[in-house]
Amino acid sequence: VSSDSEDAVYGEQVSTITGYGSGNGLIERFGGEVEPQATLEVELESERTVKECYVQEGDEVQEGDRLFAYDTQEAEDNLAQAQIDIERAQADIEVAQETITSLERQQANASADDQLAYTTEILTLQNEIKTNDYNIQTKELEMQQLQETIDSAVVTAEMGGVIQSISDPNSSSASLDSGSSNAYITILDT
């Protein structure tokens, strides 16, 4: 191809690029740094403790592999307690409804002076029923959140790679001034 053509290709000898042909005996070396395409830092959620770690430094993981699991004992205990609280509130509602039915029968046969006392007691019990209904709804939401916490106890890798480091989960967080990472596990993309 002529040197005027758009398809012209120019090349240099390897000895010229590396310095072998210079005659001075020096060999040029090209410095650089090898970096991963991506780094994933997995941080611990606050107020949760690690129950078990499934990987070690240097292990190769694939996306979806288990890294570690949080301890869920406290959440499981709170879930059981919330269920007991709901059952207790439902029992209180049943008792209150039976009492209201009884009071309404008694109110029908009561004197005009006693009617007000029965009405007040019935309204008080109706208020307790509404309060217990609200408490049941609150506990059901709490149970949902606790179940989600239990279900998300196992943390998996979001990308494949090699485990570069695993820090001590019981150590205090690194200072922001030191530039250190607060990551529990660091994964380097391969």
Side-chain angles (χ1 to χ4, degrees), residues 30-79:
F30 300 97
E33 189 172 316
V34 177
E35 294 182 3
Q37 286 182 334
T39 302
L40 176 67
E41 294 182 341
V42 182
E43 295 185 9
L44 296 175
E45 293 180 18
S46 62
E47 300 182 21
R48 290 184 83 177
T49 58
V50 174
K51 178 180 180 181
E52 184 176 3
C53 185
Y54 303 115
V55 294
Q56 297 177 2
E57 289 182 11
D59 286 355
E60 188 166 331
V61 294
Q62 301 299 319
E63 183 176 341
D65 286 354
R66 298 181 317 164
L67 298 176
F68 63 93
Y70 287 113
D71 184 12
T72 59
Q73 188 61 50
E74 183 178 348
E76 291 170 7
D77 292 345
N78 291 341
L79 185 64

Side-chain angles (χ1 to χ4, degrees), residues 133-180:
D133 279 337
Y134 174 77
N135 289 339
I136 289 172
Q137 291 174 355
T138 302
K139 287 295 179 181
E140 286 173 344
L141 285 174
E142 182 181 327
M143 286 177 64
Q144 231 175 7
Q145 292 171 340
L146 288 168
Q147 190 61 51
E148 289 172 6
T149 298
I150 292 169
D151 293 343
S152 67
V154 176
V155 176
T156 59
E158 295 177 12
M159 71 175 200
V162 174
I163 304 295
Q164 179 191 28
S165 64
I166 301 174
S167 64
D168 181 8
N170 300 320
S171 69
S172 60
S173 296
S175 163
L176 294 177
D177 296 334
S178 67
S180 298

Side-chain angles (χ1 to χ4, degrees), residues 122-132:
I122 289 171
L123 290 174
T124 301
L125 289 169
Q126 288 173 339
N127 189 35
E128 286 179 19
I129 289 173
K130 288 180 182 179
T131 300
N132 281 324

